[in-house]
């Protein structure tokens, strides 16, 4: 019975093209993908620095033009103020990493840590911003 199950499982894998994840070769990201991630991380760092300084007008310039139509420097500042009211003053960025169109800036505030999720479009313009307390 065990042999029949093994043969059945093997034939299912071979006919459906499903193979264990470890069987797939790991591929390195292309130089273009690395360059785009580096550019997004730089933009994200500058964006957070502008928010920290209260320079919401220039921070808003990092957004895609269609998004800027619905956000004002005041509303962006209010969102940042809400975060500061919840977490206390900003202290420092602790890490930054990119994953596809999202760049995550981990920050330390007086009352704890928050991850800022900055979403980019293909033109490296910001289209979304959110924050959560890391697990």
């Amino acid at each position: 019975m065990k042999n029949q199950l093994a043969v059945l499982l093997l034939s299912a894998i071979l006919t459906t093209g499903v193979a264990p994840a470890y069987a797939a070769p790991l591929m390195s990201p292309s130089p273009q993908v690395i360059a785009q991630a580096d550019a997004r991380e730089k933009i994200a760092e500058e964006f957070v620095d502008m928010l920290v300084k209260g320079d919401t007008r220039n921070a808003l310039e990092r957004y895609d033009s269609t998004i800027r139509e619905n956000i004002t420097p005041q509303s962006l500042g209010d969102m940042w103020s809400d975060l500061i009211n919840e977490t206390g003053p900003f202290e420092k960025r602790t890490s930054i990493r990119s994953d596809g169109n999202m760049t995550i800036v981990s920050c330390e505030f007086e009352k704890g840590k928050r991850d800022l999720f900055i979403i980019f479009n293909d033109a490296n313009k910001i289209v979304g911003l959110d924050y959560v307390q890391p697990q």
Side-chain angles (χ1 to χ4, degrees):
M1 181 69 174
K2 286 184 182 179
N3 287 341
Q4 290 175 339
L5 183 58
V7 169
L8 180 62
L9 181 60
L10 181 59
S11 65
I13 290 172
L14 292 175
T15 58
T16 62
V18 177
Y22 59 82
L26 296 175
M27 298 185 66
S28 298
S30 71
Q32 294 86 359
V33 169
I34 292 170
Q36 189 169 45
D38 289 346
R40 288 176 176 164
E41 288 176 8
K42 184 176 189 299
I43 293 166
E45 285 179 348
E46 292 170 351
F47 177 74
V48 171
D49 289 347
M50 288 176 202
L51 292 176
V52 169
K53 292 176 188 172
D55 187 4
T56 55
R57 188 168 306 285
N58 282 321
L60 195 57
E61 290 299 315
R62 302 295 192 255
Y63 275 85
D64 180 79
S65 61
T66 58
I67 304 296
R68 281 196 313 260
E69 293 173 3
N70 299 309
I71 300 176
T72 65
Q74 178 66 42
S75 63
L76 184 58
D78 290 346
M79 188 234 41
W80 185 254
S81 293
D82 290 346
L83 176 62
I84 297 302
N85 289 336
E86 182 181 321
T87 61
F90 175 87
E91 293 182 351
K92 64 182 177 179
R93 287 189 315 267
T94 57
S95 69
I96 188 164
R97 60 199 179 278
S98 290
D99 185 5
N101 284 358
M102 181 171 48
T103 298
I104 304 164
V105 182
S106 297
C107 300
E108 234 175 77
F109 294 84
E110 182 179 81
K111 296 178 186 175
K113 298 178 181 182
R114 290 290 186 277
D115 285 339
L116 305 180
F117 294 86
I118 303 171
I119 313 301
F120 289 90
N121 64 14
D122 291 336
N124 285 349
K125 291 292 189 176
I126 297 172
V127 294
L129 170 65
D130 201 0
Y131 55 88
V132 297
Q133 186 170 359
Q135 300 292 349

